[in-house]
Amino acid sequence: MARLKGSFTAMITPMFQDGSVDYEGFKKNVQFQLEQGIDGLLPLGTSGETPTLDEDEEERLIDIAVPMVRAWNEGHGTDVSLIIGAGSNNTRDAVRYVRRAKEKGADYALVVTPYYNKPSDEGIFQHYKAVSAVGIPIIVYNIAGRTGKNISTALLERIAGLPNIAGVKEASGSINQMMEVIEKIRPMNPDFSVLSGDDGLTLPLIAAGGDGVISVVTNLVPALMTSLVHHSLDGNFEEARKIHYRLQPFFRAAFCDGNPASIKCAMNLKGLPAGSLRLPLVDARPEARETIKEALDICGL
């Protein structure tokens, strides 16, 4: 498979004040992303509040996104990728969600490290072996801050040797670990994609040989972030740095009161469908709202 490169939005799930899903708002957000030139979309990730969605809601969101992306690609001659979040700390459920993504027509499935259970390295390897057998390209999602377990480079090397493992969303927060992944895995698997899970590390990761970002801020600024990524991939780091430092205050503010509360607040301020959150998540605090508003003003957004 060709190496996945570009800017991909970890989409929020817009909700009304009563906590019900705003499906029309989700459609508007998908259309906005497509019109702004995003390289790919990721519904049902952490930013989509997937732990609080039921399976009927998840399926409705998939059934909106898939035909919209497919029709856009057919009508515009583009190749926007669709990645579906399919993680669980129950391997049987993860396999079922990956199979659902495949059957619904997704291009990739994003599978997070099993969380809370804190399995051994062998348990994590066996988890990815099970989901890789479904037969759709898998992006490993390494985010120790949420799962309690970091996937070491040595373990990722083993996982990358499995069939259908397309790459990693690296959110360890360590640029050194990201570079080690490129150093160790790329020679054995040239098509293995290394994508940043942290917006602020996108530029340094691509400079070190990475391939792009699965982004939160692109929910609001898809065109700008995609431009940053494409300039970086093309080696035009002068232009990429201009965008990076313009967006730097927003990179910080977009997580100042947690994710997705902060990005939903920013989207609400700018009139994009976002709405409220489901418990145990709550709306951004008033002081966080002011921080986000100030960052948007500083960035000229």
Side-chain angles (χ1 to χ4, degrees):
M1 65 189 85
R3 203 155 91 215
L4 184 65
K5 295 184 178 186
S7 177
F8 308 91
T9 299
M11 297 191 71
I12 62 101
T13 301
M15 295 179 182
F16 296 111
Q17 284 301 119
D18 65 359
S20 59
V21 176
D22 178 4
Y23 295 105
E24 287 301 316
F26 182 73
K27 288 180 185 177
K28 290 177 182 177
N29 287 340
V30 171
Q31 188 66 27
F32 171 70
Q33 293 289 321
L34 295 171
E35 291 174 351
Q36 291 283 303
I38 200 71
D39 293 308
L41 300 178
L42 166 64
L44 305 188
T46 308
S47 301
E49 298 176 71
T50 306
T52 67
L53 298 177
D54 64 42
E55 292 193 12
D56 287 342
E57 290 168 329
E58 292 175 1
E59 295 224 2
R60 282 192 67 181
L61 292 168
I62 296 171
D63 288 342
I64 289 169
V66 170
M68 287 186 70
V69 171
R70 186 176 295 141
W72 180 270
N73 284 336
E74 290 175 357
H76 294 80
T78 52
D79 192 24
V80 177
S81 297
L82 187 63
I83 308 164
I84 299 293
S88 174
N89 62 339
N90 178 337
T91 302
R92 290 183 180 183
D93 282 344
V95 168
R96 190 160 54 88
Y97 297 149
V98 170
R99 186 173 293 115
R100 178 181 66 181
K102 180 183 178 182
E103 291 172 351
K104 294 282 189 180
D107 300 298
Y108 300 84
L110 180 76
V111 179
V112 71
T113 317
Y115 41 87
Y116 191 77
N117 314 49
K118 296 188 79 171
S120 66
D121 282 3
E122 184 60 28
I124 293 172
F125 176 79
Q126 293 297 332
H127 180 83
Y128 281 104
K129 183 177 180 181
V131 297
S132 72
V134 173
I136 181 176
I138 302 290
I139 299 170
V140 176
Y141 184 11
N142 183 33
I143 180 164
R146 287 188 181 267
T147 64
K149 184 77 175 180
N150 179 52
I151 297 180
S152 68
T153 304
L155 176 56
L156 190 59
E157 281 187 80
R158 288 188 67 201
I159 295 169
L162 292 167
N164 302 310
I165 300 296
V168 62
K169 177 185 178 183
E170 238 299 340
S172 64
S174 169
I175 190 66
N176 286 328
Q177 178 165 328
M178 295 176 183
M179 290 190 294
E180 188 179 55
V181 166
I182 295 168
E183 175 192 3
K184 299 291 187 182
I185 297 178
R186 193 65 62 68
M188 63 177 257
N189 186 349
D191 292 331
F192 188 82
S193 179
V194 182
L195 301 167
S196 178
D198 296 288
D199 285 294
L201 293 180
T202 305
L203 175 59
L205 177 63
I206 296 176
D211 299 293
V213 63
I214 295 180
S215 168
V216 171
V217 302
T218 48
N219 278 281
L220 183 64
V221 288
L224 267 176
M225 198 64 185
T226 299
S227 182
L228 185 159
V229 168
H230 288 190
H231 280 309
S232 300
L233 290 171
D234 291 341
N236 188 355
F237 289 106
E238 182 176 354
E239 289 303 316
R241 277 194 296 270
K242 289 178 184 177
I243 302 170
H244 172 87
Y245 285 111
R246 176 184 171 184
L247 291 177
Q248 187 84 333
F250 186 45
F251 291 158
R252 293 189 291 264
F255 294 88
C256 70
D257 206 12
N259 181 46
S262 302
I263 189 63
K264 277 194 163 186
C265 176
M267 293 173 72
N268 286 328
L269 286 168
K270 289 300 175 180
L272 287 173
S276 193
L277 296 95
R278 279 186 183 169
L279 288 171
L281 300 181
V282 295
D283 294 342
R285 296 164 295 150
E287 55 268 37
R289 187 178 186 276
E290 289 306 310
T291 297
I292 293 163
K293 186 175 184 301
E294 181 181 359
L296 292 172
D297 290 341
I298 291 170
C299 295
L301 302 175

